[in-house]
Amino acid sequence: MVGSGLVGRDQLELENPEKFSNNGIVIVREALDQEEVTIVRKLGYKEILRQGDVRQIMPRHVLAEPELRLLPFKKRIVEALRISLGNSLAYIPDLTLHCNQFGFPGWHTDSGSEHDKGYIQSSGYKFVKCGIYLQNNTQEWGGGIMVVPGGHKFPILTPSRTFNRKVKSFLNRMQTKSKNIAVDIRAGDMVYFDSRSPHTSTFPSNIRKPTEEGTYHYTKEEIPEEHSKLVLYWDACNEEMVNDFITN
């Protein structure tokens, strides 16, 4: 977890869950204390190696560990999500623990399979990807994400959903080059972002960059345990969106 921090704009506003609708991303500082980070990292990394140095632990294994499955229910996390998404908060139990996965360049949204659904362009859309990060986001070893604040919004809404989507996609491609930020993530922080937001992993400068676009997984021989990237992911939404998502 050693490395220099990422330099960017002041991200204090991103710590305010009341600003979620504007920014599309929220940082919950110190969702886990440092003792918890150490315990969860050791537990998660041990399971990663037990399964063969895999890129992620699937939900059935995460849910089998109380130290992992109970983390999304920590008070600070639930309170922030309810401010942003509403009191009728719901979780999708797809908890996965990712290890040393990086996209290159990797820009994407997590709502890609839903692009033709009407609710995607609704002002009431409240669906987020949640992540608890167990290391700092650094230039040398990655460890976090880059996002386009405000990139979840549709800049124009006409009767044609296809037109609206194409305009957003075009603008997002421009914004990933000019308005992206490396999120100031520190070990123990929890981050959630609108699933329509363009984002990618922070690619570590200590790893030779691939020659082709794709998602890459690195082993313990390439990234030692103390620098490994471990993130616990799950989905959360307002209860009113559950049926739409599950149907999709």
Side-chain angles (χ1 to χ4, degrees):
M1 293 187 290
V2 178
S4 59
L6 290 158
V7 179
R9 71 174 200 182
D10 179 12
Q11 296 184 19
L12 185 61
E13 183 176 285
L14 302 186
E15 299 177 27
N16 186 350
E18 294 182 353
K19 299 284 188 178
F20 170 73
S21 61
N22 183 53
N23 296 315
I25 181 171
V26 171
I27 306 171
V28 181
R29 294 292 185 200
E30 298 179 345
L32 275 61
D33 61 36
Q34 292 310 298
E35 181 179 0
E36 290 173 313
V37 169
T38 299
I39 292 172
V40 175
R41 274 185 69 87
K42 287 183 178 179
L43 173 66
Y45 197 75
K46 180 180 179 181
E47 182 63 19
I48 288 286
L49 295 184
R50 188 190 72 80
Q51 295 191 29
D53 203 356
V54 294
R55 65 187 181 93
Q56 67 184 48
I57 301 174
M58 301 306 289
R60 65 182 180 275
H61 299 294
V62 175
L63 292 170
E65 299 289 347
E67 294 88 347
L68 297 178
R69 71 169 180 260
L70 295 178
L71 294 179
F73 299 96
K74 291 179 72 69
K75 183 178 180 181
R76 295 193 62 198
I77 291 174
V78 172
E79 286 179 346
L81 284 168
R82 280 181 167 158
I83 290 173
S84 297
L85 303 180
N87 285 326
S88 56
L89 178 65
Y91 284 168
I92 308 298
D94 54 350
L95 279 83
T96 55
L97 183 70
H98 289 204
C99 182
N100 293 334
Q101 283 193 70
F102 302 93
F104 181 80
W107 286 101
H108 67 286
T109 68
D110 287 344
S111 59
S113 68
E114 304 165 271
H115 66 83
D116 62 342
K117 307 298 182 183
Y119 63 81
I120 279 289
Q121 299 183 22
S122 168
S123 60
Y125 181 92
K126 293 182 178 180
F127 198 99
V128 297
K129 174 69 72 175
C130 306
I132 296 177
Y133 292 79
L134 303 174
Q135 62 285 314
N136 297 342
N137 192 12
T138 69
Q139 295 281 4
E140 296 89 347
W141 295 105
I145 57 171
M146 301 177 67
V147 300
V148 175
H152 62 297
K153 299 177 181 178
F154 282 82
I156 186 171
L157 290 174
T158 72
S160 172
R161 293 203 300 265
T162 299
F163 178 76
N164 301 341
R165 173 172 54 83
K166 288 183 176 179
V167 172
K168 179 181 184 298
S169 297
F170 174 79
L171 184 61
N172 283 166
R173 286 196 297 272
M174 301 300 103
Q175 292 173 327
T176 57
K177 300 175 182 178
S178 62
K179 294 187 177 181
N180 70 77
I181 65 166
V183 184
D184 178 25
I185 296 171
R186 306 155 200 172
D189 288 350
M190 180 266 198
V191 174
Y192 57 91
F193 54 88
D194 189 300
S195 293
R196 302 168 299 181
S197 297
H199 64 281
T200 187
S201 50
T202 308
F203 199 87
S205 62
N206 282 356
I207 297 292
R208 179 178 295 180
K209 290 186 177 180
T211 58
E212 297 183 2
E213 181 175 353
T215 300
Y216 294 86
H217 168 244
Y218 294 93
T219 65
K220 58 184 176 63
E221 284 76 27
E222 296 163 300
I223 299 180
E225 179 178 358
E226 63 269 24
H227 297 304
S228 61
K229 172 188 175 182
L230 290 166
V231 189
L232 180 69
Y233 286 117
W234 74 97
D235 292 319
C237 63
N238 186 284
E239 188 177 18
E240 293 181 1
M241 286 204 61
V242 170
N243 288 338
D244 285 333
F245 179 79
I246 294 301
T247 298
N248 182 73

